Amino acid sequence: MRNYKFYSTRDGRMPMKMPDAADFGDSQKDAFAMYHTADGEPVILRRSIALTPMPWCIQRGTSTVFFSYYRDAVEHCRKRGYKLIKEGGNT
């Protein structure tokens, strides 16, 4: 059996081109960068809008890892072999 994952933007439309990191932001977090795994799974680097001790998080599927500093989050992605797709977002 093969499992399929479908992703859409905040307004519910299916992207016709490569999605932008800004499409995955919401009222609590801004999406800052998009990565992908060696298998092509999306990984999103997000930053909390609210002031928190660990504002950076990396989301891959249903897993979320939090970081205090941007450099630590980027280093985490680099160590796991995630490839940067697009940087930007709602900054």
Side-chain angles (χ1 to χ4, degrees):
M1 177 180 212
R2 186 170 199 148
N3 294 322
Y4 293 95
K5 294 180 184 178
F6 294 95
Y7 297 92
S8 65
T9 59
R10 278 187 273 176
D11 59 5
R13 63 185 166 78
M14 293 296 293
M16 297 305 289
K17 60 180 179 58
M18 188 60 140
D20 186 66
D23 291 335
F24 295 95
D26 58 25
S27 63
Q28 296 177 349
K29 291 186 177 8
D30 285 335
F32 193 77
M34 290 184 63
Y35 293 83
H36 66 81
T37 64
D39 296 333
E41 294 179 38
V43 178
I44 302 172
L45 173 62
R46 301 177 80 193
R47 181 182 62 196
S48 176
I49 293 171
L51 184 61
T52 67
M54 299 182 87
W56 296 96
C57 73
I58 295 173
Q59 293 183 312
R60 177 184 175 195
T62 59
S63 177
T64 305
V65 182
F66 292 90
F67 299 91
S68 295
Y69 300 103
Y70 171 76
R71 70 174 182 267
D72 295 339
V74 171
E75 182 68 13
H76 175 83
C77 291
R78 189 190 65 75
K79 284 182 179 178
R80 278 154 184 75
Y82 301 159
K83 302 294 182 196
L84 182 65
I85 297 172
K86 190 172 269 191
E87 195 165 11
N90 298 333
T91 55

